[in-house]
Amino acid sequence: NGLDTLKGGVECMNCRSDHAHPIGTGTVKALRFMRSEPLRYSLVLRMDETTRRQVAYIVEVLLTSHLEARFDPLRYMNSVRI
């Protein structure tokens, strides 16, 4: 499995592109759980250290790329406001 940040998603072993960041099966399961359940249930989700690090990395990368793309125009508008 791998995370393709350019496409913004997870790819299986057979479809994984060369530039995808490798991730484990436990990470994919944790992400599926987090996507399907209310966020508060993620607090009790048991993950080993590798899975926890991979999930944290993925959340950070996807949120940062999404928010940066979304808020750059807002930052510009605020900077030129009189």
Side-chain angles (χ1 to χ4, degrees), residues 29 33 79:
K29 289 179 180 180
F33 178 86
S79 72

Side-chain angles (χ1 to χ4, degrees), residues 8-71:
V10 174
E11 299 174 331
C12 72
M13 286 293 237
N14 297 327
C15 302
R16 193 170 96 188
S17 57
D18 293 337
H19 59 270
H21 182 78
I23 58 173
T25 303
T27 302
V28 174
K29 289 179 180 180
L31 292 171
R32 285 182 181 152
F33 178 86
M34 293 169 76
R35 189 172 115 188
S36 66
E37 299 296 331
L39 187 57
R40 68 180 177 270
Y41 295 141
S42 297
L43 297 173
V44 296
L45 188 61
R46 292 184 185 186
M47 294 181 264
D48 61 39
E49 185 62 22
T50 300
T51 300
R52 188 193 64 73
R53 279 196 319 262
Q54 289 178 353
V55 167
Y57 171 78
I58 291 167
V59 169
E60 181 180 345
V61 165
L62 293 179
L63 277 176
T64 301
S65 64
H66 182 70
L67 292 176
E68 288 295 322
R70 194 173 231 185
F71 288 112

